[in-house]
Amino acid sequence: SNREKPLRILFVGRIARMKNIVFFLEVLRDSGISARFDLVGPSDPFDQDYFNQCQQLAAELNSAGLTQVEFH
């Protein structure tokens, strides 16, 4: 097929507000590019709301079908 392979992105680290993952997920959503984004690491135990926000954005991206986001 002539389709380009999706951009592969790997994040390894704590899922924390200071890492600005929500911003990155929003950029992916708004860019319209095909991508696979794997996040490997624990959530911040003191900021579960931020992790929930990341998961919600990831679910939106996954349901749209262009970008696949997976937490490991």
Side-chain angles (χ1 to χ4, degrees):
S1 139
N2 289 336
R3 286 187 46 185
E4 286 188 31
K5 291 183 179 182
L7 177 65
R8 298 287 312 255
I9 306 158
L10 174 64
F11 172 87
V12 178
R14 188 169 40 93
I15 312 298
R17 195 172 299 270
M18 69 182 342
K19 311 290 177 124
N20 219 358
I21 295 164
V22 164
F23 175 74
F24 189 76
L25 289 167
E26 290 171 340
V27 168
L28 275 179
R29 179 192 62 201
D30 297 342
S31 71
I33 63 169
S34 176
R36 174 173 173 114
F37 184 27
D38 290 288
L39 297 102
V40 180
S43 63
D44 184 339
F46 301 105
D47 195 356
Q48 191 61 37
D49 288 341
Y50 186 75
F51 184 68
N52 294 341
Q53 188 180 3
C54 290
Q55 287 186 310
Q56 181 179 352
L57 271 168
E60 290 175 24
L61 284 162
N62 289 339
S63 67
L66 192 58
T67 295
Q68 182 181 1
V69 181
E70 190 170 336
F71 294 87
H72 302 273

